[in-house]
Amino acid sequence: QDLLEGAYGIMEPEEGLRTRCGSPQILDMVVVPGLAFAPDGYRIGYGGGYYDRFLASVPDETISVGLCYDSLILNDLPVNKYDLPVDIIVTDKRVIRCNT
């Protein structure tokens, strides 16, 4: 109920909720969605760059976790200079600690 449709139809926290939760600097972990992931932690998202910009704003100690089906772990994904990998990928079959 605290989400609003944002760019590309992606549901996002409404602005007041983001400011009530405080700074990204206090987060211990971030769950990052993706359509597919590579074993090195890079992902295919929805093309808006939102999570890459957000991950750049959290402390290095904040753990980023991607969730997906194991069949969506692909060895070769396109990566650009702004893409940031996740630290851990959790699938329905395994946990992958990425080389980040």
Side-chain angles (χ1 to χ4, degrees):
Q1 73 217 27
D2 294 326
L3 301 177
L4 300 173
E5 188 172 324
Y8 307 103
I10 298 171
M11 300 303 286
E12 301 174 352
E14 57 94 21
E15 187 63 37
L17 180 64
R18 284 183 261 173
T19 56
R20 284 194 310 267
C21 290
S23 166
Q25 298 297 311
I26 66 168
L27 297 175
D28 295 319
M29 184 179 80
V30 176
V31 177
V32 181
L35 299 173
F37 287 83
D40 60 1
Y42 287 98
R43 68 190 181 89
I44 295 289
Y46 294 95
Y50 173 80
Y51 279 90
D52 294 310
R53 288 189 302 275
F54 183 76
L55 289 174
S57 73
V58 299
D60 291 340
E61 299 80 31
T62 301
I63 298 169
S64 56
V65 179
L67 305 174
C68 74
Y69 290 108
D70 202 70
S71 61
L72 296 174
I73 301 295
L74 308 174
N75 287 324
D76 191 27
L77 294 180
V79 176
N80 74 46
K81 64 181 179 176
Y82 301 108
D83 292 338
L84 294 174
V86 295
D87 300 310
I88 299 170
I89 303 168
V90 178
T91 79
D92 53 318
K93 298 187 188 278
R94 59 187 166 149
V95 173
I96 302 169
R97 296 186 186 281
C98 306
N99 296 323
T100 58

